[in-house]
Amino acid sequence: MSNLKMKEAALIYLDRSGGLQKFIDDCKYYNDSKQSYAVYRFNILINPSDVVELDAELGNHILHQPLKAAQVFQSVCFIAVKTLSLIGQLQTETQINIVLKLTHLPPLPSYGLDLCDFPRDYTSQRFYMMQGIVIAMTTVTKYTQGARFLCSDEACPLSKGFQYIRVHVPGATESATIRSDFLCNLCASSLQEDRKFRVLGDKQIVEIITTKALQAFQGNNQTFRFQSLTIFLRDESVNKMNIGNEYKIIGIPTCVKTSQTVCIEANSITFCNSKVPSEISNNFRCLLSLTSSSCWKFTAVLANIFASQIVPPGTYNLLKLCLLMSLVQTSDHKKELEDCLDILIITSDTLLVKRLLNFSINLVPRGVCHPVSTEIFPTLSRNKYGTGAVSIQAGSALLAKGGVCFIGDLASHKKDKLEQLQSVLESRSITVYIPGKKFGGDIDQQMTFPVQCSFWSFLDMDSSSRRTAQKNNALIGQMDCSLIPANLVEAFGLLINCNESSACHPLLPTVQHTLKKAIDPERLLYVASKQFRTEDFEKLLAFAKNLNVEFSLEAERMIHGYYLASRRIRTDSIYGSKLSASALRYLVSLSEAHARLNLRNKVLKEDVLIAALLFETSLTLKYGATVFCVAPNAVFPFDLYDEEYLEQRDLYLTQCQQQLEQFIATYGPGTAIFSSDE
């Protein structure tokens, strides 16, 4: 009686939810098909909340005994097919394969599978919800969805018909569905598969890690291996997950006996959207209000006080401003690939620079510090489950999706890796070639992955090998980067020179800061550290990077004018233009970043000025100075001690803006120096 009641409830739910009409439409597809089927597969969408409200017992079966619940719906669907004459070829109930697709699970702790918590229940064969980031995936292979078996004794009544049907169930291996030792229940003769009725489906294996694991190792470049959880995707779920993305997965935990590992048979997959950013702190709101009279003061103060736990306020301001601008250009899967801001730092003080970069990448959810002994980009390996598929391991760059990948000293990487990095910086994608012969396939394959992260790196100019290899530069302002391919240096959007012995980086405050921190690491040495905590900067960046910005007409004209003028003066008849095709993209990204950091929705010409100064400084380091001569400390010409110095900086930047406008008027579009072709 209980089973009959559940069948009635299942029929009522299918009728109310629209599932019955969908089932009828699916049956029509099978009935109209000229092909003969041994197994008829149907997906039924289940809302557990609605089912529990309709019938608690059926809802309990769906949540805790899904295989038995599927049998209830199987029986209901078989009766519907026979009653309504939906599929003429259908003979037995076992030919119907019902897959229940859940929309969600109850938001209760017992239904969540936290990859960091123990113990875990792998034996109950019920649904759990887990969340994680994809770190590896295989190519798509086939598996046996269903098969028909017949008795080998021709005199036996079961040597015909569709009495022996086997279908895949969660946790079953291929050998559990297709074997040679099945016996007939009637005569005990061996069963043989009717191969022409075998039904194949698509299968893919992915590995996920919890987000907590990735965050726990932020800023750590030591070699480690993530403990992953294996997810089996089948049929409609295949190719629904991408490396580097985070997903919520509803599935049934099972144990794979061949490898003695636990895996999840995925039932439904949902992409995890980014969290709505919280409000910025009151102290930052107050600071924004106090500096509202200027388009440059707020970001200047931000750079001045940023990372005061690592370096004293007022030091490395140019680098800190660029890091903040790169961080606000990280995406939450909303922005375009062109928004990334890559930074290459030339320095003789690698210790402080590494500390600054490690501190900064911890302020975004996807900040990855790449261990030198591992791979930056995807690699291939054999699938450990023996399915014949190739496993593609993510690498640091794809794990940093929507964030920053800090790859350390650029010179520590081999030549082939640097060439690969240059290609990625230029195309923002990586292609993985899969040789068929090597991995047991018939044909070669290739897969292309978008690379959605900013790259940070540095060059140690103080090592003995670099000091002896440096040559005298013929051009004013040019830095010697000859140990690194020129095309790779060009591929980085920003080239920054951090010289600790310059007037911009006085040694005494840094030495005092280091000594005090060595004595008491937890002590907050400055007022700024107490007023603007690390958490406040995290909230500020989370808020700023999600701002949608647009260019004002003045800003758009200025950025195009500067690009064309700069391209004109850096072009010669032999080698062509020194500005790459991505130069305009970087200028746009820099301008947007400064506007976002100012918490504005509109890019103004003042933002374009900062972008032009940073970009021109970078060009000078690469190629030397030109007629638009920019001082190395143009963005921060004075030490920012108080309001008076901020005012002086504003006056200086106003003069720079006038010089930029004059430069555009002289060399930009519409001037006599431009030909019609240009």
Side-chain angles (χ1 to χ4, degrees):
M1 291 298 293
S2 174
N3 200 33
L4 180 60
K5 183 184 176 185
M6 283 196 292
K7 290 179 181 179
E8 291 177 357
L11 182 59
I12 294 171
Y13 174 77
L14 287 174
D15 186 38
R16 290 181 180 178
S17 66
L20 185 58
Q21 183 59 50
K22 181 181 181 301
F23 174 75
I24 293 173
D25 294 339
D26 292 342
C27 288
K28 187 176 185 300
Y29 166 79
Y30 281 120
N31 195 50
D32 293 344
S33 175
K34 297 179 180 179
Q35 183 179 350
S36 298
Y37 293 91
V39 179
Y40 298 87
R41 187 174 184 271
F42 300 95
N43 289 334
I44 296 179
L45 190 65
I46 298 292
N47 185 319
S49 301
D50 292 346
V51 176
V52 168
E53 188 175 344
L54 176 66
D55 185 272
E57 187 176 4
L58 178 60
N60 184 64
H61 268 65
I62 290 172
L63 292 173
H64 302 105
Q65 295 178 302
L67 299 183
K68 290 185 177 180
Q71 292 175 357
V72 173
F73 280 90
Q74 180 189 42
S75 179
V76 170
C77 291
F78 177 72
I79 295 171
V81 169
K82 287 302 182 182
T83 304
L84 302 176
S85 302
L86 298 176
I87 303 177
Q89 309 98 305
L90 183 70
Q91 297 183 21
T92 64
E93 184 176 315
T94 55
Q95 287 182 265
I96 293 182
N97 181 17
I98 297 295
V99 180
L100 303 180
K101 295 284 187 179
L102 271 60
T103 58
H104 67 282
L105 287 177
L108 299 172
S110 59
Y111 292 98
L113 184 63
D114 192 329
L115 305 184
C116 297
D117 289 347
F118 292 92
R120 301 172 185 154
D121 181 11
Y122 297 130
T123 60
S124 61
Q125 286 281 289
R126 71 173 179 87
F127 289 113
Y128 285 89
M129 196 282 291
M130 62 228 69
Q131 185 169 330
I133 299 168
V134 179
I135 66 167
M137 64 190 301
T138 67
T139 51
V140 178
T141 56
K142 295 294 183 180
Y143 81 102
T144 302
Q145 203 179 83
R148 175 198 188 191
F149 285 83
L150 299 172
C151 181
S152 58
D153 186 352
E154 294 183 359
C156 179
L158 300 183
S159 62
K160 299 178 182 179
F162 294 88
Q163 298 299 321
Y164 292 118
I165 300 294
R166 294 191 66 80
V167 296
H168 172 82
V169 295
T173 60
E174 186 75 5
S175 61
T177 309
I178 304 294
R179 289 211 313 263
S180 58
D181 58 349
F182 295 129
L183 300 178
C184 177
N185 293 331
L186 188 62
C187 67
S189 299
S190 61
L191 298 182
Q192 294 179 344
E193 182 193 358
D194 186 356
R195 289 182 178 272
K196 65 177 180 290
F197 281 100
R198 181 183 290 191
V199 181
L200 298 179
D202 293 329
K203 176 179 67 175
Q204 189 177 32
I205 302 174
V206 303
E207 294 181 32
I208 67 169
I209 59 169
T210 178
T211 310
K212 296 177 184 177
L214 193 62
Q215 293 171 349
F217 287 96
Q218 278 185 317
N220 185 348
N221 65 347
Q222 301 299 314
T223 303
F224 53 84
R225 185 185 184 279
F226 290 113
Q227 178 64 54
S228 61
L229 182 66
T230 302
I231 310 292
F232 279 80
L233 307 179
R234 299 185 190 273
D235 304 305
E236 298 84 7
S237 298
V238 163
N239 288 328
K240 290 292 181 65
M241 301 176 79
N242 295 317
I243 291 180
N245 282 352
E246 186 175 4
Y247 298 90
K248 288 182 179 178
I249 304 156
I250 295 176
I252 299 176
T254 58
C255 181
V256 180
K257 295 180 180 179
T258 55
S259 57
Q260 292 299 311
T261 56
V262 175
C263 67
I264 303 292
E265 283 273 351
N267 180 268
S268 64
I269 302 164
T270 307
F271 176 74
C272 289
N273 292 314
S274 57
K275 295 180 181 179
V276 178
S278 55
E279 294 292 321
I280 62 175
S281 68
N282 291 331
N283 285 337
F284 273 129
R285 287 185 178 279
C286 182
L287 177 62
L288 184 63
S289 176
L290 291 173
T291 57
S292 59
S293 60
S294 166
C295 294
W296 297 309
K297 288 181 180 178
F298 183 68
T299 53
V301 177
L302 284 183
N304 191 64
I305 63 177
F306 178 60
S308 58
Q309 301 90 329
I310 309 300
V311 293
T315 57
Y316 293 95
N317 280 353
L318 178 62
L319 173 59
K320 290 190 290 184
L321 176 64
C322 292
L323 293 179
L324 287 170
M325 291 172 67
S326 181
L327 289 173
V328 296
Q329 288 300 96
T330 58
S331 68
D332 287 325
H333 313 289
K334 295 178 182 179
K335 302 192 183 82
E336 300 296 328
L337 297 178
E338 288 78 10
D339 289 335
C340 299
L341 251 181
D342 308 308
I343 299 176
L344 176 59
I345 304 156
I346 300 174
T347 182
S348 57
D349 186 10
T350 58
L351 180 62
L352 277 180
V353 168
K354 282 194 288 188
R355 286 178 180 175
L356 262 176
L357 299 182
N358 282 328
F359 173 82
S360 300
I361 62 174
N362 280 278
L363 300 179
V364 291
R366 293 289 190 93
V368 175
C369 186
H370 168 69
V372 179
S373 59
T374 61
E375 297 293 334
I376 303 177
F377 302 111
T379 55
L380 301 178
S381 63
R382 295 188 181 276
N383 175 35
K384 63 183 178 182
Y385 292 96
T387 60
V390 180
S391 180
I392 304 168
Q393 306 295 319
S396 299
L398 296 190
L399 278 183
K401 190 171 188 176
V404 176
C405 182
F406 172 33
I407 59 177
D409 189 349
L410 202 59
S412 65
H413 300 280
K414 295 181 180 179
K415 182 181 178 181
D416 60 328
K417 301 301 179 185
L418 294 180
E419 291 174 351
Q420 196 176 33
L421 174 62
Q422 179 190 330
S423 174
V424 169
L425 290 174
E426 292 171 349
S427 65
R428 287 292 156 186
S429 64
I430 181 72
T431 299
V432 179
Y433 296 94
I434 306 171
K437 291 183 179 179
K438 182 177 179 180
F439 293 98
D442 297 327
I443 58 173
D444 296 341
Q445 301 180 59
Q446 69 178 44
M447 298 179 70
T448 300
F449 301 93
V451 180
Q452 296 172 273
C453 71
S454 297
F455 289 93
W456 292 354
S457 185
F458 65 86
L459 274 174
D460 181 8
M461 301 306 293
D462 201 35
S463 67
S464 57
S465 60
R466 289 170 180 77
R467 283 201 303 268
T468 55
Q470 284 181 8
K471 57 185 180 181
N472 294 326
N473 296 312
L475 300 176
I476 298 174
Q478 186 179 19
M479 288 289 295
D480 177 26
C481 302
S482 55
L483 292 177
I484 300 297
N487 290 339
L488 177 57
V489 175
E490 173 61 35
F492 278 89
L494 278 181
L495 184 63
I496 303 171
N497 180 26
C498 278
N499 185 1
E500 64 168 0
S501 61
S502 69
C504 299
H505 306 134
L507 287 173
L508 185 58
T510 304
V511 172
Q512 291 175 338
H513 173 93
T514 304
L515 290 174
K516 290 177 181 178
K517 275 292 183 180
I519 296 171
D520 187 359
E522 302 300 324
R523 181 185 172 191
L524 299 177
L525 302 179
Y526 314 101
V527 176
S529 304
K530 300 173 184 177
Q531 291 180 333
F532 303 98
R533 302 166 301 168
T534 303
E535 296 80 10
D536 296 331
F537 272 98
E538 286 183 25
K539 292 179 181 179
L540 176 74
L541 293 171
F543 182 84
K545 71 181 183 179
N546 284 286
L547 290 173
N548 294 317
V549 296
E550 59 181 17
F551 275 79
S552 65
L553 185 59
E554 283 184 326
E556 194 171 331
R557 286 175 178 170
M558 179 175 282
I559 201 168
H560 281 92
Y562 166 71
Y563 169 73
L564 292 172
S566 185
R567 185 177 177 84
R568 172 67 183 85
I569 63 172
R570 294 185 185 275
T571 300
D572 59 52
S573 57
I574 300 175
Y575 299 104
S577 177
K578 293 180 180 178
L579 262 68
S580 65
S582 59
L584 183 60
R585 169 170 65 86
Y586 280 119
L587 283 168
V588 170
S589 187
L590 284 166
S591 303
E592 289 179 346
H594 193 262
R596 285 194 175 97
L597 204 54
N598 270 296
L599 306 182
R600 278 191 271 103
N601 295 101
K602 189 173 285 284
V603 179
L604 307 177
K605 62 180 183 179
E606 288 81 1
D607 301 311
V608 176
L609 172 67
I610 298 296
L613 292 177
L614 291 173
F615 193 72
E616 190 66 31
T617 303
S618 180
L619 289 178
T620 302
L621 291 173
K622 295 175 183 177
Y623 310 117
T626 60
V627 291
F628 183 49
C629 191
V630 173
N633 61 339
V635 178
F636 289 97
F638 311 106
D639 293 332
L640 304 179
Y641 295 120
D642 52 28
E643 178 68 20
E644 181 182 349
Y645 287 90
L646 285 173
E647 292 292 342
Q648 290 181 12
R649 179 177 180 266
D650 274 13
L651 291 174
Y652 178 84
L653 291 176
T654 302
Q655 294 174 1
C656 290
Q657 187 165 317
Q658 293 170 356
Q659 293 173 8
L660 176 60
E661 290 171 349
Q662 182 61 43
F663 172 67
I664 295 171
T666 306
Y667 296 95
T671 60
I673 202 167
F674 262 81
S675 67
S676 59
D677 291 340
E678 291 172 320

